[in-house]
Each structure stands twice: as structure tokens, then as C-alpha cells.
Amino acid sequence: MASRADAGGGSGVPPYRYTAALANEIERRWQDHWESQDTFAVANPSPDGPAPAGEKFYLLDMFPYPSGAGLHVGHPLGFIGTDVLGRFLRMTGRTVLHAMGFDAFGLPAEQYAVQTGTHPRTTTEANIARYRAQIRQLGLAHDEHRSVSTTDVEFYRWTQWIFLQIHASWYDTEAGRARPISELEDELTAGIRALPDGRDWATLSRPEQDRVLDDHRLAYLADAPVNWCPALGTVLSNEEVTADGRSERGNFPVFRRNLRQWMMRITAYADRLADDLDGVDWPDSVKTMQRNWIGRSQGAQVRFASDAGPIEVFTTRPDTLFGATYLVLAPEHPLVDALTPDAWPSPPTGDELDGRWTGGAATPAEAVAGYRRVVAQRSDLERQEARDKTGVFTGAWATNPVNGEPLPIFVADYVLMGYGTGAIMAVPGQDQRDWDFATVFGLPIRRTVQPPEGFDGEAYVGAGPAINSANDEISLDGLEVDAAKSAIVAWLAGRGDGEPVVQYKLRDWLFSRQRYWGEPFPIAYAADGESDGGPSIPRALPEADLPVLLPDVEDYAPKSFAPDDRDSSPESPLARATEWVRFTADLESDPERGFADYLRETNTMPQWAGSCWYYLRYLDPHNKERFVDADVERYWLGPQGPGDPGGVDLYVGGVEHAVLHLLYARFWHKVLFDLGYVSSSEPFRKLFNQGYVQAWAYTDARGVYVPAEEVVEDASASTGFTWNGEPVRQEYGKMGKSLRNVVTPDEMCEAYGADTFRLYEMSTGPMEASRPWSTRDVVGSHRFLQRVWRLVIDEQTGELRVADTEPDRDTLTALHRAIDGVRTDLPAMHYNTAVAKLIELANHLTKTYPNGGTPRSVIEPLVLLLAPLCPHLAEELWSRLGHPQTLAYAPFPEADPALLVEDTVEYPIQVNGKVRSRMTVPAAATEDEVRAAALADAKVVELLAGAEPRKVIVVPGRLVNIVR
RNA sequence: GCCCCUGUAGACCAAUCGGCAGAGUCGAUGGACUCAAAAUCCAUACAGUGUGGGUUCGAAUCCCACCGGGGGCACCA
């Protein structure tokens, strides 16, 4: 079977037609040319070098993970989009930095290594080479000298270095920024700062002092509840666990358990991460997602007295305090054991104890223990699915500070230990969850906010005046929610029973993984333990020891377990590299010891580490002294004026990174900013989310996916499509192997050429929209490029067909309209409409000059207009038109405003909103002249039949509407 | 359940401030070229903007309700 490329070059086709074969030849030639001439290399400013030519623009794509499957046509959508913009900006005089790197640590290479024994580096490098080749054939104008991969030793050296800076920092809440931990130590030593627990710094032993410092570091070890995934053999960050309590990768069960792990104190930055969103130009949807993730809420902490001491409760509705009728603690709450009495008490009210409260247990301790057992055996998923309220009475009462009322204390799993204080005051009148629980356990319900007339729901959570809310000292009655909140919080604070407080959903970032293929931590522990017998203190390795190289190991797999083996414990593959793990040194970070034996940290960093700062390394990829030179960073990323946070000028990628990558990267950047290493306070000044390329997939009668490329449209089939004559059902989804609908850029480049592929991807819709891939439609873009080629080159002879004649006025107008439109559309990334305007111009020229002889003064601007979208074809035509230099830096055409205005305007004339007639008037006509002309129109006179119109609306340049 | 985005010819998509529903592409139909086909070129037809209300001289555009599609969050006190 002949391929399209063969058909294009076969007999009967003019010898100099723009076929796929010719396109491929042109494209390879120009790609080689750009590479050999270093066309897209961009220099950093230097004191002795020449000043940069134009205003800088740092253009950035979210770098890809080089998977073994290679690219499909969906992947390069964003890359092509940024390339078009970058090329346009270069032609308008900007100095553009555009580079491409690889996020190359990651699980697939490691899993492949586990299966085959191939070193992950081998697999990764092969995949990167394939990606580079696939990207190169698309003609993307990247500065190749700036390409980095997170797995490069010279890259992860600096990832480790940044980790050391974070580890060597603490967050000074008074100053509102991170500072070197050495300054904290100095202040403690000098007595300027006291220890929060009242101990005297000078009397502490060295390990005790180190532990105090470790409690402040932005990177710290903690026994924290983590998400342990036995099947993957590793812990996961909160962000990597799905809503139904499974691993995002692989969909395995995840269990909560306590483990000693590396954490990043991202919560210290919660306010700045939320507030600084105001200063960046990001889509509102992404800002909202980040704000929701940080989850800042204003509220109050209230203390309820109990026999086991005060119980701290967080609430966002302190105004409803008079409506509290019981308290609930999370089952894991530390006070539960102290509260639980030996025997069931009689209620202070003198009533019988409600049978529903005890769960049938003989003693409170038994009831609580039994309930805890039930809860612990539930997975997170089950806990979420079970909406029925369960719980048990602890046997204890607390006192409501506003009215001295005794409130029974329950334990229930609808209260989470991880949020607030792990204890709530329950206000069934104004909270549906509390209402449900109160209903199950027969607890009193009291409204303290007046619901509106006709409200027939249960709990009322809306606005309204307070009721039933007064004691001898204070009355909230009649106050609206906000006023009531401030009043009661002030009253509580005055009595020492509470204070205003801010809560966040954001948790600290779990930063260690039990994996091989990641950055090793530059950390070690004393082999013989600590002199005070406490847990090991992590010791930073000196900068001179960087990079800490990944050792070779026999087995790359972490120890994995049965998916539901909740009691298993993680074990990193690096722990088996015993020669690497143990070493002897005299560490400055361990002043207590001289030369001593140490054991390396055997966890590795999560995949996010490299992506937190790669955009900084593009700026200065070969710097041996620093991760990025300060002046270079200031030039490319520095703030442009007051109120500007600085950062990358445009960052383009999918919305799937709205919280994870973008939040982590902002956090690292802010730490580096606080420590004075970067001048920008935000990494990405402007963010743009491109859409996805989706694809149709087809299933047969059994529901099995069939190869999408072999499916034909068939109106006679019940489903409209057939495969091998069988009807198949169409569905819409992601492009991928499992749906058997993958189309690769390689196929498209072979069948049509890269310029056609680029043009097609850019013309199917606006950059932000997802759209279906349709191979059938690609030919339209190809035909357009053939028309452009034919305007310049004779298909029979290969000679130029342009003439040095003057274009007519219509053609000139068409050209300048196109210039004007394209100049507006390209910087706005409205590539689909820019393409339409180019096609319109080409169609006009084809029609106007059917026998060749298109004026050079029109053709040359057309070629330049096309250059950002189809650079190879444009370069080729530009060169054939006699220009020896690349057009990459040629000036982009400018529209002549005089040619954009028309002499006359055609006005539709509406009568009562319906178009009844048309007229042509000079463009310079005044509103009154237009009105007069419209009223004089024969059709209008006929329709009005002598009557006076009630109203005449003239929209200049648009239309006239006459209301009868 | 809550929040956000979205709905325009058979398909993908256009339409400055609310102002003539159509720029462009595919497909369809007809024609040119061809012995024929492919490729290429030329021409034509096709929707009243998811549904129902409202505001307005005028609504795809603004407002309300509902329906469909996509995404995010989810016992967060």
C-alpha cells in the first residue's frame, strides 16, 4: 500500500509541489542550519559583553517526564504554542529565553529496572534521547545549551545544595521570613531569644541543643502520621493520595501510620502562599484551587473546662457558642484516656444515662477502646463512605464557658485529629453534621441563629440575627453573624477562655521516599547513636561533599508488601548499598564529635524536588560555583517595578499541576528569596493552562477497544462507525495505549511534514481549550501550505512566480488586515484565528493572481507572518526570495492604519430589530447623516408609511435600528 | 453534596462595548483535470446559538432556573 508521502511524489504530481517529501527535506535542512548556526542561543548579560538587544522575555514550558512510550500528538501542543509565541517575540525585537529540559527521576524507569535489571540511568538516557529527537523534528526554537535533566549529576548537586539551605533555615514568624538557623543559634546563645519551654539554652547538652534547632528547621525529621502504601513500598504525600484513600499511582490502598520521615515546613509559608496569589497573573481557577488547598479559615479557639484540664476547640462559628450542646473529640485525641472515668456516671441533670450513648459497654474505657478498634480497622475510604454518624460517650462532661452548662463529651470519627485541635464544640442547630449526630444520640438541639421565614431544613448554616445567646455579662441577641463573632471572641479573650485563631488545611510536605531513582539526601547520622540516648540527629554534609552520588545497587526495588499489609514498614533500596551507607568523617555539623563513623540517609527525595527549581538552572546551566548567578537571576526574573513579584514571564502547562508542583515550587522559591539567593519573590509571574488533545476511541460489541485508525464512518451501522465491517461504538477520552487511539507526531511529520502538523495543532482551537484529535482534518492545513508555496514557487519549474509589481488597493487592504489581525492574535495566543486570517489572505491572493505574478511586496510580509507558525517553510521561501539571513530575527510586518479604514460602510437598517434594508454611506458620515440616510431609504419609507418613528438608534459603523 | 469552567452548522471552531450569527478547516454535494482513480483546483448547500423565562430598541453575549459535558474539593468544625 502506498503511503501518502509516496503518492505525493508519484507520477502526475507536479515535480515542485510542496509534498510531504519536500517538506521533510526542507525541515531537516533548516533544523541542521539552526543548530549549526546556533540561531536560538541567547546570551546572559555580562559586564563586559554587549548589552542585550531587546527587552527580555523568559518563556517556559512545564518540562516533560521522558516516558518510554515516547510522545503522542497531545504532548507537544503546549511546546508548539510557546514556540510560536517565542518566535513572534523574537521578530518583534524581544530577547527570548526558551529552553527545554527533562524531569527524569521517577517511578517508571525504576520499575523497568526492577523487572529487567537495566540501570534506570540507561533507560532514562535512552528515553531522553528519543524525546530530544521527537522534539527536534518539530522545529522548536530552543536554546540547546541550556537544556538540563534533573538526573544530571551537575543538576542534582544543586538540588541537594538547595535542600541544605532549607535544612539550615528556620522561619522567624516575627520577621515573617526564613532566616539562617545559625542566627537562631546565636540569638539563643546570646540570650536574646528564650526557649519556648522555659529551659536555659546554656545548660542544655549539645544533643539537646541540636534537637531544639531541629525543631525549628524548615526541613526536619518527624514521627508523623504518613500515608503508607505497602504495595508500592513507599510513603506518599497527602497530595499523592486520592480522595478515596488510594495511591494516585497504581490505585493501591494507603494506610495512615506513624513513621519517622523528612518533612518540609511549607505551613510556615501558608499565609504568604495564599496572599501572594494576588500579585501573580494566573488563571482564577488555579488561584482558587491553591487557596482551597491552603484552606485558611478565620475562627476562634475556645477552652472548655473538664476534669482532665481544659479542652481546646477550634471553631469558625464562635457566635454559635450558646448553641453548643455537646463536645466531640477525635478517637486519637490525647485527652481521651485522661477523661474516661472508671464507671458510667449519672448525668448532672439527674436523668438516666441514655442507652444509646454507651454502645452497650460495661465501662466507658471499654466503650472507647471498642470504638477505637472499629475505627482503626476502617480504611480511609470506608470512613468517608460511611456517612452515618457513629461514636461513643466518654463518660465525662465539660463546661460551656458562656453559661456554665455541662456538655457531654463524645468520641466520634467524624472529627479528624489532623484538622484544628482534633476537638469540636457541636452546635446541632447550625451544623448539619452535628444535627445528624445529635439525632442519632438523642442530644438537645438549640437554635441560636434565627432562620428566615419559611425555612424548613434541619441545621441552619446561613446568615441571620443571633437568638437565645445571652448571659449575665454579654448578649449577642439580634447581632448578625460577623458582629456576634467579634463580640463573643472579645468576651472570651477577656476571660482567658479563648482567642481568635487562623486555621489551615495545608499540612507540612512529606519529603522522603523509599526509592532508588531519586536524589540522595546530603545527610548522615552518627553510627553509634546520640550521647543522650535519644533518636538520631540528622547531620548535614558539607557543601564540599556534594554531589552525593547515587550508589550502584543490585536490586532497585524498595521492599514492597501485600497491598493490604498495614503493619509493614518501609525499607529503601539504598539501605542495601552497605559500602555507600557507612563512612568516616569529621563533620562540622556535628561539633560534639571529631572523626566518627556515620550512616547515610537512605531515603531519596520525591520527584517534585527537581521540578521545584529547574527553571532557575536554565538561566545559568553551566555555573560551577552557584545554582544560578545572582545577576543573571535578577536580569531574567527580577521584579520589573513596584508591586511586581518577578518570575518567569510566561509559564505554560497543563492544569493538572495546579496544586502540587506549582505550590511546592513557589515554596522553594520563597525560601531562596528569603535567604537572599534570588531577587524574585514568586517563580512564575504569569501562568497559562493549555488544553489537552483528546481523541476518539472505539469499542466493539464485547467492549474491547479496536485500533481507532482502522475505524471507518458508516452511516448504515447502528453506531455510525464500523471496524472490519462490525459496528463499533465511539467514545471520547485521553490518548493512550489502553484506548488504542495513539497518534504520534512522527507519523504526522512523515505524512505531512512538521509545519503542517504545527499548523494543524495551532488551528484546531484556542490554546486553553481541549479538543479532539482528528487525523482526517490535517490535510486542510497541508493544502493551505501548498497554496502558499504555489504563490511563490512554480510547481512545474520550481522557479519563483513573484513579480516586482505594485499590488492593487484591495490586495493591500487584505494584507494589512491580515497583519493587523495576526499581530493581535499571536501575542494573545489566539493561534486558531491568526491562522484563519492567513488563510484568508492566501485565498485572496490565489484568486487575484491565478496565473502567478503575485507582488513581492505582499508575498514577503505573508512569509514573515507565517514564520512563527511554520518556520521551516517560511525560512525556505524567505531564502528563495533572495534573503541570505535567517528570518528568525527579521522584523515582523507592521500594519499601516491608513489601509485598515474603509472609504464607505454598509449599514444594515433594522426596523423593530429585524433587518429590512441595507445602505452604503461614506465612512466619514456623521451620526445625523446616517440617521437621515436611513430614514430616506425607500424600503424604510414604505414600511413607516408616513408614521413618525418612535426612536432611531444609530450605532456608528454598525447598524441603524428604527423603532416604529 | 459544594465550587469552577463549558454548551454556536454533520465535526472542530469564529463572532471588540449587547449591534447583520460566519473568519477558517474537515466532511457532504456538484464541477474542472484524468482512460480511470488518487492528488490538486473551483463552486454550492447546511445552524439561529442546550431548554424555559427575564432585562433591552436590540441577547450567542447580561440575569434567573433547569438539562448535558469537563474539572476541582469533599465529615475541614
PDB file of all heavy atoms in Angstrom, chain A residues 1 17 34 43 64 70 102 159 248 252 302 374 420 481 582 611 667 718 847 868 899-900 918 945:
ATOM      1  N   MET A   1       0.844  -1.201   0.000  1.00  0.00           N
ATOM      2  CA  MET A   1       0.000   0.000   0.000  1.00  0.00           C
ATOM      3  C   MET A   1       0.877   1.248   0.000  1.00  0.00           C
ATOM      4  O   MET A   1       1.833   1.337   0.762  1.00  0.00           O
ATOM      5  CB  MET A   1      -0.897  -0.015   1.240  1.00  0.00           C
ATOM      6  CG  MET A   1      -2.077   0.923   1.108  1.00  0.00           C
ATOM      7  SD  MET A   1      -3.216   0.724   2.485  1.00  0.00           S
ATOM      8  CE  MET A   1      -2.376   1.628   3.758  1.00  0.00           C
ATOM      9  N   ARG A  17       5.863  20.469  -6.393  1.00  0.00           N
ATOM     10  CA  ARG A  17       4.776  20.689  -5.430  1.00  0.00           C
ATOM     11  C   ARG A  17       5.315  20.532  -4.011  1.00  0.00           C
ATOM     12  O   ARG A  17       6.248  19.781  -3.764  1.00  0.00           O
ATOM     13  CB  ARG A  17       3.654  19.677  -5.693  1.00  0.00           C
ATOM     14  CG  ARG A  17       2.542  19.722  -4.638  1.00  0.00           C
ATOM     15  CD  ARG A  17       1.269  19.076  -5.119  1.00  0.00           C
ATOM     16  NE  ARG A  17       0.629  19.878  -6.159  1.00  0.00           N
ATOM     17  CZ  ARG A  17      -0.454  19.510  -6.825  1.00  0.00           C
ATOM     18  NH1 ARG A  17      -1.010  18.336  -6.597  1.00  0.00           N
ATOM     19  NH2 ARG A  17      -0.968  20.289  -7.737  1.00  0.00           N
ATOM     20  N   TRP A  34      19.774  25.767  11.751  1.00  0.00           N
ATOM     21  CA  TRP A  34      19.599  26.459  13.043  1.00  0.00           C
ATOM     22  C   TRP A  34      20.601  25.934  14.074  1.00  0.00           C
ATOM     23  O   TRP A  34      21.154  26.706  14.844  1.00  0.00           O
ATOM     24  CB  TRP A  34      18.173  26.272  13.568  1.00  0.00           C
ATOM     25  CG  TRP A  34      17.115  26.913  12.722  1.00  0.00           C
ATOM     26  CD1 TRP A  34      17.244  28.059  11.994  1.00  0.00           C
ATOM     27  CD2 TRP A  34      15.777  26.446  12.507  1.00  0.00           C
ATOM     28  NE1 TRP A  34      16.069  28.341  11.340  1.00  0.00           N
ATOM     29  CE2 TRP A  34      15.139  27.368  11.639  1.00  0.00           C
ATOM     30  CE3 TRP A  34      15.050  25.355  12.956  1.00  0.00           C
ATOM     31  CZ2 TRP A  34      13.819  27.215  11.225  1.00  0.00           C
ATOM     32  CZ3 TRP A  34      13.728  25.213  12.544  1.00  0.00           C
ATOM     33  CH2 TRP A  34      13.128  26.137  11.690  1.00  0.00           C
ATOM     34  N   ALA A  43      22.423  34.809  24.947  1.00  0.00           N
ATOM     35  CA  ALA A  43      23.494  35.026  25.921  1.00  0.00           C
ATOM     36  C   ALA A  43      22.946  35.702  27.166  1.00  0.00           C
ATOM     37  O   ALA A  43      21.982  36.460  27.106  1.00  0.00           O
ATOM     38  CB  ALA A  43      24.591  35.890  25.312  1.00  0.00           C
ATOM     39  N   PRO A  64       8.847  17.913  30.473  1.00  0.00           N
ATOM     40  CA  PRO A  64       8.188  16.613  30.457  1.00  0.00           C
ATOM     41  C   PRO A  64       8.958  15.546  31.223  1.00  0.00           C
ATOM     42  O   PRO A  64      10.175  15.663  31.421  1.00  0.00           O
ATOM     43  CB  PRO A  64       8.155  16.261  28.976  1.00  0.00           C
ATOM     44  CG  PRO A  64       9.380  16.910  28.419  1.00  0.00           C
ATOM     45  CD  PRO A  64       9.594  18.177  29.231  1.00  0.00           C
ATOM     46  N   GLY A  70       7.310   7.409  24.554  1.00  0.00           N
ATOM     47  CA  GLY A  70       7.539   8.488  23.593  1.00  0.00           C
ATOM     48  C   GLY A  70       6.373   9.450  23.569  1.00  0.00           C
ATOM     49  O   GLY A  70       5.394   9.296  24.308  1.00  0.00           O
ATOM     50  N   PHE A 102      14.316  18.002  31.173  1.00  0.00           N
ATOM     51  CA  PHE A 102      13.611  16.754  31.457  1.00  0.00           C
ATOM     52  C   PHE A 102      13.512  16.485  32.951  1.00  0.00           C
ATOM     53  O   PHE A 102      14.497  16.600  33.674  1.00  0.00           O
ATOM     54  CB  PHE A 102      14.290  15.585  30.735  1.00  0.00           C
ATOM     55  CG  PHE A 102      14.259  15.772  29.252  1.00  0.00           C
ATOM     56  CD1 PHE A 102      15.332  16.354  28.594  1.00  0.00           C
ATOM     57  CD2 PHE A 102      13.132  15.430  28.526  1.00  0.00           C
ATOM     58  CE1 PHE A 102      15.284  16.581  27.223  1.00  0.00           C
ATOM     59  CE2 PHE A 102      13.075  15.647  27.162  1.00  0.00           C
ATOM     60  CZ  PHE A 102      14.157  16.222  26.507  1.00  0.00           C
ATOM     61  N   THR A 159      20.324  20.531  43.543  1.00  0.00           N
ATOM     62  CA  THR A 159      19.089  20.169  44.254  1.00  0.00           C
ATOM     63  C   THR A 159      19.444  19.843  45.705  1.00  0.00           C
ATOM     64  O   THR A 159      18.769  20.270  46.642  1.00  0.00           O
ATOM     65  CB  THR A 159      18.413  18.960  43.571  1.00  0.00           C
ATOM     66  OG1 THR A 159      18.304  19.201  42.166  1.00  0.00           O
ATOM     67  CG2 THR A 159      17.028  18.711  44.143  1.00  0.00           C
ATOM     68  N   GLU A 248      -2.419   7.626  44.087  1.00  0.00           N
ATOM     69  CA  GLU A 248      -2.716   8.214  42.794  1.00  0.00           C
ATOM     70  C   GLU A 248      -2.103   7.335  41.700  1.00  0.00           C
ATOM     71  O   GLU A 248      -2.675   7.148  40.645  1.00  0.00           O
ATOM     72  CB  GLU A 248      -2.102   9.618  42.754  1.00  0.00           C
ATOM     73  CG  GLU A 248      -2.646  10.506  41.678  1.00  0.00           C
ATOM     74  CD  GLU A 248      -2.132  11.924  41.863  1.00  0.00           C
ATOM     75  OE1 GLU A 248      -0.902  12.117  41.850  1.00  0.00           O
ATOM     76  OE2 GLU A 248      -2.950  12.820  42.040  1.00  0.00           O
ATOM     77  N   PHE A 252      -3.489   1.759  44.699  1.00  0.00           N
ATOM     78  CA  PHE A 252      -3.364   0.775  45.774  1.00  0.00           C
ATOM     79  C   PHE A 252      -3.867   1.361  47.087  1.00  0.00           C
ATOM     80  O   PHE A 252      -3.883   2.587  47.256  1.00  0.00           O
ATOM     81  CB  PHE A 252      -1.896   0.366  45.941  1.00  0.00           C
ATOM     82  CG  PHE A 252      -1.318  -0.322  44.733  1.00  0.00           C
ATOM     83  CD1 PHE A 252      -0.325   0.285  43.976  1.00  0.00           C
ATOM     84  CD2 PHE A 252      -1.773  -1.579  44.354  1.00  0.00           C
ATOM     85  CE1 PHE A 252       0.203  -0.347  42.861  1.00  0.00           C
ATOM     86  CE2 PHE A 252      -1.247  -2.223  43.241  1.00  0.00           C
ATOM     87  CZ  PHE A 252      -0.258  -1.604  42.499  1.00  0.00           C
ATOM     88  N   VAL A 302     -11.525  27.964  71.621  1.00  0.00           N
ATOM     89  CA  VAL A 302     -12.294  28.130  72.853  1.00  0.00           C
ATOM     90  C   VAL A 302     -11.906  27.001  73.802  1.00  0.00           C
ATOM     91  O   VAL A 302     -11.756  25.861  73.377  1.00  0.00           O
ATOM     92  CB  VAL A 302     -13.812  28.076  72.572  1.00  0.00           C
ATOM     93  CG1 VAL A 302     -14.598  28.325  73.856  1.00  0.00           C
ATOM     94  CG2 VAL A 302     -14.199  29.087  71.503  1.00  0.00           C
ATOM     95  N   VAL A 374     -12.865  -0.337  66.164  1.00  0.00           N
ATOM     96  CA  VAL A 374     -13.693  -0.332  64.954  1.00  0.00           C
ATOM     97  C   VAL A 374     -13.165   0.702  63.965  1.00  0.00           C
ATOM     98  O   VAL A 374     -13.006   0.429  62.773  1.00  0.00           O
ATOM     99  CB  VAL A 374     -15.165  -0.020  65.323  1.00  0.00           C
ATOM    100  CG1 VAL A 374     -15.988   0.215  64.056  1.00  0.00           C
ATOM    101  CG2 VAL A 374     -15.748  -1.154  66.149  1.00  0.00           C
ATOM    102  N   GLY A 420      -7.558  21.426  62.867  1.00  0.00           N
ATOM    103  CA  GLY A 420      -7.896  22.189  64.060  1.00  0.00           C
ATOM    104  C   GLY A 420      -7.214  21.574  65.263  1.00  0.00           C
ATOM    105  O   GLY A 420      -6.028  21.258  65.215  1.00  0.00           O
ATOM    106  N   VAL A 481     -24.114  37.621  62.153  1.00  0.00           N
ATOM    107  CA  VAL A 481     -23.072  36.634  62.426  1.00  0.00           C
ATOM    108  C   VAL A 481     -21.700  37.272  62.689  1.00  0.00           C
ATOM    109  O   VAL A 481     -21.046  36.966  63.690  1.00  0.00           O
ATOM    110  CB  VAL A 481     -22.994  35.613  61.265  1.00  0.00           C
ATOM    111  CG1 VAL A 481     -21.783  34.714  61.427  1.00  0.00           C
ATOM    112  CG2 VAL A 481     -24.276  34.778  61.213  1.00  0.00           C
ATOM    113  N   ARG A 582      27.944   3.522  54.941  1.00  0.00           N
ATOM    114  CA  ARG A 582      28.810   3.776  56.091  1.00  0.00           C
ATOM    115  C   ARG A 582      30.068   4.532  55.645  1.00  0.00           C
ATOM    116  O   ARG A 582      30.676   4.186  54.635  1.00  0.00           O
ATOM    117  CB  ARG A 582      29.205   2.437  56.720  1.00  0.00           C
ATOM    118  CG  ARG A 582      29.996   2.550  57.989  1.00  0.00           C
ATOM    119  CD  ARG A 582      30.221   1.177  58.590  1.00  0.00           C
ATOM    120  NE  ARG A 582      29.063   0.720  59.367  1.00  0.00           N
ATOM    121  CZ  ARG A 582      28.912   0.984  60.676  1.00  0.00           C
ATOM    122  NH1 ARG A 582      29.805   1.694  61.325  1.00  0.00           N
ATOM    123  NH2 ARG A 582      27.861   0.522  61.313  1.00  0.00           N
ATOM    124  N   SER A 611      11.782  19.544  39.978  1.00  0.00           N
ATOM    125  CA  SER A 611      10.893  20.460  39.260  1.00  0.00           C
ATOM    126  C   SER A 611      10.635  21.728  40.073  1.00  0.00           C
ATOM    127  O   SER A 611      10.021  22.658  39.571  1.00  0.00           O
ATOM    128  CB  SER A 611       9.582  19.760  38.909  1.00  0.00           C
ATOM    129  OG  SER A 611       8.916  19.338  40.069  1.00  0.00           O
ATOM    130  N   PHE A 667       6.968  27.529  47.103  1.00  0.00           N
ATOM    131  CA  PHE A 667       7.539  27.435  48.458  1.00  0.00           C
ATOM    132  C   PHE A 667       9.073  27.492  48.409  1.00  0.00           C
ATOM    133  O   PHE A 667       9.694  28.302  49.093  1.00  0.00           O
ATOM    134  CB  PHE A 667       7.029  26.136  49.097  1.00  0.00           C
ATOM    135  CG  PHE A 667       7.778  25.678  50.312  1.00  0.00           C
ATOM    136  CD1 PHE A 667       7.934  26.513  51.406  1.00  0.00           C
ATOM    137  CD2 PHE A 667       8.304  24.393  50.368  1.00  0.00           C
ATOM    138  CE1 PHE A 667       8.618  26.076  52.540  1.00  0.00           C
ATOM    139  CE2 PHE A 667       8.987  23.953  51.488  1.00  0.00           C
ATOM    140  CZ  PHE A 667       9.149  24.798  52.577  1.00  0.00           C
ATOM    141  N   SER A 718     -25.487   0.884  13.071  1.00  0.00           N
ATOM    142  CA  SER A 718     -26.341   1.448  14.119  1.00  0.00           C
ATOM    143  C   SER A 718     -25.571   2.479  14.940  1.00  0.00           C
ATOM    144  O   SER A 718     -26.136   3.451  15.423  1.00  0.00           O
ATOM    145  CB  SER A 718     -26.847   0.329  15.033  1.00  0.00           C
ATOM    146  OG  SER A 718     -25.738  -0.419  15.526  1.00  0.00           O
ATOM    147  N   LYS A 847      -6.854  33.918  -5.691  1.00  0.00           N
ATOM    148  CA  LYS A 847      -7.950  34.321  -6.563  1.00  0.00           C
ATOM    149  C   LYS A 847      -7.547  35.525  -7.416  1.00  0.00           C
ATOM    150  O   LYS A 847      -7.895  35.610  -8.601  1.00  0.00           O
ATOM    151  CB  LYS A 847      -9.166  34.666  -5.699  1.00  0.00           C
ATOM    152  CG  LYS A 847     -10.465  34.210  -6.286  1.00  0.00           C
ATOM    153  CD  LYS A 847     -11.596  34.358  -5.275  1.00  0.00           C
ATOM    154  CE  LYS A 847     -11.561  33.230  -4.252  1.00  0.00           C
ATOM    155  NZ  LYS A 847     -12.678  33.303  -3.304  1.00  0.00           N
ATOM    156  N   PRO A 868       6.295  32.354  12.458  1.00  0.00           N
ATOM    157  CA  PRO A 868       6.207  31.769  13.807  1.00  0.00           C
ATOM    158  C   PRO A 868       5.504  30.422  13.810  1.00  0.00           C
ATOM    159  O   PRO A 868       5.869  29.528  14.572  1.00  0.00           O
ATOM    160  CB  PRO A 868       5.401  32.806  14.592  1.00  0.00           C
ATOM    161  CG  PRO A 868       5.620  34.085  13.865  1.00  0.00           C
ATOM    162  CD  PRO A 868       5.700  33.700  12.414  1.00  0.00           C
ATOM    163  N   LEU A 899      -4.504  51.929   5.776  1.00  0.00           N
ATOM    164  CA  LEU A 899      -5.042  50.913   4.875  1.00  0.00           C
ATOM    165  C   LEU A 899      -6.102  50.049   5.545  1.00  0.00           C
ATOM    166  O   LEU A 899      -6.690  49.175   4.915  1.00  0.00           O
ATOM    167  CB  LEU A 899      -3.905  50.029   4.369  1.00  0.00           C
ATOM    168  CG  LEU A 899      -2.958  50.753   3.398  1.00  0.00           C
ATOM    169  CD1 LEU A 899      -1.694  49.953   3.195  1.00  0.00           C
ATOM    170  CD2 LEU A 899      -3.655  51.009   2.077  1.00  0.00           C
ATOM    171  N   LEU A 900      -6.321  50.263   6.837  1.00  0.00           N
ATOM    172  CA  LEU A 900      -7.302  49.444   7.548  1.00  0.00           C
ATOM    173  C   LEU A 900      -8.690  50.050   7.498  1.00  0.00           C
ATOM    174  O   LEU A 900      -9.673  49.363   7.742  1.00  0.00           O
ATOM    175  CB  LEU A 900      -6.879  49.270   9.014  1.00  0.00           C
ATOM    176  CG  LEU A 900      -5.561  48.531   9.219  1.00  0.00           C
ATOM    177  CD1 LEU A 900      -5.205  48.517  10.690  1.00  0.00           C
ATOM    178  CD2 LEU A 900      -5.631  47.115   8.675  1.00  0.00           C
ATOM    179  N   ARG A 918     -30.596  47.687   3.420  1.00  0.00           N
ATOM    180  CA  ARG A 918     -29.177  47.990   3.558  1.00  0.00           C
ATOM    181  C   ARG A 918     -28.851  49.253   2.810  1.00  0.00           C
ATOM    182  O   ARG A 918     -29.511  49.594   1.833  1.00  0.00           O
ATOM    183  CB  ARG A 918     -28.341  46.851   2.973  1.00  0.00           C
ATOM    184  CG  ARG A 918     -28.318  45.655   3.839  1.00  0.00           C
ATOM    185  CD  ARG A 918     -27.760  44.450   3.128  1.00  0.00           C
ATOM    186  NE  ARG A 918     -28.043  43.263   3.933  1.00  0.00           N
ATOM    187  CZ  ARG A 918     -27.371  42.943   5.026  1.00  0.00           C
ATOM    188  NH1 ARG A 918     -26.371  43.689   5.427  1.00  0.00           N
ATOM    189  NH2 ARG A 918     -27.686  41.877   5.730  1.00  0.00           N
ATOM    190  N   ALA A 945     -44.656  54.126   6.272  1.00  0.00           N
ATOM    191  CA  ALA A 945     -45.913  54.593   5.697  1.00  0.00           C
ATOM    192  C   ALA A 945     -46.329  55.941   6.279  1.00  0.00           C
ATOM    193  O   ALA A 945     -47.466  56.122   6.710  1.00  0.00           O
ATOM    194  CB  ALA A 945     -47.012  53.541   5.893  1.00  0.00           C
TER     195      ALA A 945
END
